[in-house]
Amino acid sequence: MEAQDLAAAKKNATNQRRTLVFIDESGLSTKPTRVRTWSLRGQTPLLHESFGWKSLSIIGGLTVKRFCFQIHKGSLKSPEVVKFIQHLRRHIKGRLLLIWDGAAIHRSALVRDYLASTQGQVIAERLPAYAPELNPVEYMWGHLKYHEIANLITTQAWELSLEATAALRRMRRLLHSG
């Protein structure tokens, strides 16, 4: 989809009284995202990490008024995408227009069949290829990784999940208070 197609989809969503939901996925690892930090003069800060990295996946949806997310162990598959859309439908009333990238899990038969089963209540449009800057959820992930949980040392996936969930909830409160 090109930029004008996306603009047309947004205009149609307004005419059809649909809520736009930008959706994206990201991964987290117990291997810390290292960023510049500070310490006392002469005391170099050290990050002690283990090499048995555990990974988590996050899927998030952002509207003008709401940010929803779910964290899963390992990589996301089509069933998790369907569960997330169901989660969105419980929390966002009315018809939805999902805007996401062209990831294979978005184009899977299971996701297509689920969208078809909503009888037009939920429709999806793809963002242009190689245009992550058009999806505001990408900026949420960047803030999470490079500010909220930067330099975080955890050894267990549950610790990472706990810290990421707390950070995402803080971000959601800030988003809705502004």
Side-chain angles (χ1 to χ4, degrees):
M1 175 192 313
E2 298 202 12
Q4 63 266 24
D5 294 335
L6 185 58
K10 287 181 179 181
K11 187 174 182 179
N12 286 339
T14 302
N15 292 340
Q16 296 172 7
R17 297 181 191 257
R18 290 185 183 273
T19 302
L20 266 65
V21 185
F22 287 91
I23 294 179
D24 193 43
E25 304 81 20
S26 187
L28 293 175
S29 171
T30 54
K31 179 182 177 185
T33 302
R34 297 182 316 166
V35 298
R36 177 175 241 163
T37 187
W38 66 275
S39 71
L40 297 174
R41 185 181 302 245
Q43 296 180 10
T44 303
L46 300 175
L47 297 178
H48 299 280
E49 58 183 90
S50 66
F51 290 97
W53 301 317
K54 313 279 187 305
S55 66
L56 299 173
S57 296
I58 313 170
I59 184 168
L62 182 65
T63 72
V64 172
K65 298 181 179 181
R66 190 168 259 162
F67 176 59
C68 300
F69 65 90
Q70 290 180 341
I71 298 178
H72 298 275
K73 276 189 178 181
S75 61
L76 288 171
K77 306 278 191 283
S78 299
E80 287 84 17
V81 173
V82 170
K83 286 177 189 169
F84 184 69
I85 297 169
Q86 291 168 338
H87 173 78
L88 289 174
R89 291 186 73 195
R90 282 191 301 275
H91 293 281
I92 303 171
K93 300 300 177 206
R95 297 158 49 147
L96 304 179
L97 169 60
L98 309 180
I99 300 176
W100 53 24
D101 57 25
I105 57 175
H106 300 158
R107 296 178 280 120
S108 72
L110 184 66
V111 172
R112 278 196 323 262
D113 291 346
Y114 176 73
L115 291 176
S117 77
T118 67
Q119 300 174 350
Q121 291 297 305
V122 181
I123 59 173
E125 292 287 342
R126 284 178 47 186
L127 288 165
Y130 308 108
E133 69 278 0
L134 296 178
N135 192 337
V137 183
E138 292 278 359
Y139 298 102
M140 300 289 284
W141 300 150
H143 184 77
L144 171 69
K145 291 176 183 182
Y146 292 98
H147 297 282
E148 294 288 333
I149 62 170
N151 297 329
L152 175 69
I153 303 293
T154 60
T155 57
Q156 301 297 319
W158 67 266
E159 295 171 304
L160 178 60
S161 178
L162 189 69
E163 294 290 336
T165 299
L168 288 164
R169 287 181 177 156
R170 278 193 307 273
M171 291 167 59
R172 180 169 46 200
R173 277 193 302 276
L174 288 172
L175 181 69
H176 297 314
S177 67

